């Protein structure tokens, strides 16, 4: 069941903004309320919006279950690799090996009250990104499975 052209056009316009807002929450998770799970959930609502606006057949063509599985696995792999790199560097599991290193996410935080700098916190932003990717894949997969349940009910 397709919604009206107005709803579909609005969904097409809003969808990229929902994804950008979700990734903003993921990236700024160490500075503001939010993080990987919250941002991933916001980004996954974009898929729900597309599901409401378009027919299930169109959604299944755009977002396959395999692509969502791979997205989920990619997030999990990134999370685990980030944690194990610390062991390879001679530190403990989940050690923040990027903190104060001067490279990506490695700037030192100024003492006292400050507005927050995105390029800080070491591995925490990487973990947020990994969790966000994993949540997008997992919630997308859940949505697709719920969609297949709706189709089975219609067939009966």
């Amino acid at each position: 069941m397709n919604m009206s052209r107005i709803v579909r056009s609005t969904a097409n316009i809003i969808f990229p903004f929902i994804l950008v807002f979700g990734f903003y929450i993921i990236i700024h998770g160490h500075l503001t309320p939010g993080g990987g799970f919250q941002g991933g959930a916001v980004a996954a609502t974009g898929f729900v919006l597309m599901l409401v606006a378009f027919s299930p057949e169109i959604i299944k063509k755009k977002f396959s279950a395999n692509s969502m599985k791979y997205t989920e696995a990619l997030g999990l792999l990134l999370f685990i690799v980030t944690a194990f790199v610390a062991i390879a560097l001679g530190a403990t599991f989940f050690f923040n090996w990027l903190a104060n290193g001067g490279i990506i996410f490695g700037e030192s935080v100024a003492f006292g009250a400050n507005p927050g700098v995105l390029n800080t916190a070491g591995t925490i932003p990487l973990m947020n990104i990994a969790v966000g990717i994993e949540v997008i894949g997992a919630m997308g997969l859940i949505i697709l499975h719920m969609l297949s349940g709706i189709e089975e009910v219609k067939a009966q």
Side-chain angles (χ1 to χ4, degrees):
M1 174 179 79
N2 272 337
M3 292 295 235
S4 69
R5 178 175 278 186
I6 294 171
V7 173
R8 287 181 281 144
S9 298
T10 304
N12 278 332
I13 293 169
I14 292 176
F15 180 70
F17 291 104
I18 292 173
L19 290 181
V20 168
F21 183 61
F23 286 114
Y24 172 84
I25 292 173
I26 291 170
I27 295 293
H28 288 84
H30 64 290
L31 298 173
T32 60
F37 185 85
Q38 293 84 354
V42 167
T45 60
F47 297 112
V48 174
L49 174 68
M50 299 302 278
L51 177 66
V52 170
F54 293 94
S55 69
E57 294 81 25
I58 294 173
I59 296 302
K60 284 189 171 183
K61 285 179 186 173
K62 286 186 176 182
F63 311 108
S64 70
N66 279 339
S67 66
M68 292 297 155
K69 287 179 187 175
Y70 294 138
T71 303
E72 184 181 11
L74 175 70
L76 185 61
L77 185 67
L78 180 63
F79 191 85
I80 290 172
V81 166
T82 305
F84 271 108
V85 165
I87 292 176
L89 295 174
T92 58
F93 189 62
F94 275 113
F95 179 75
N96 195 348
W97 49 274
L98 279 175
N100 301 326
I103 55 177
I104 186 167
F105 300 124
E107 284 186 10
S108 299
V109 178
F111 183 75
N114 61 66
V117 178
L118 185 62
N119 195 20
T120 58
T123 59
I124 294 171
L126 292 179
M127 299 287 191
N128 279 333
I129 292 169
V131 170
I133 291 171
E134 200 277 338
V135 169
I136 290 171
M139 293 187 92
L141 199 57
I142 290 170
I143 292 165
L144 287 176
H145 280 290
M146 289 173 67
L147 184 63
S148 65
I150 291 171
E151 290 174 348
E152 288 177 11
V153 169
K154 283 183 181 177
Q156 294 176 354

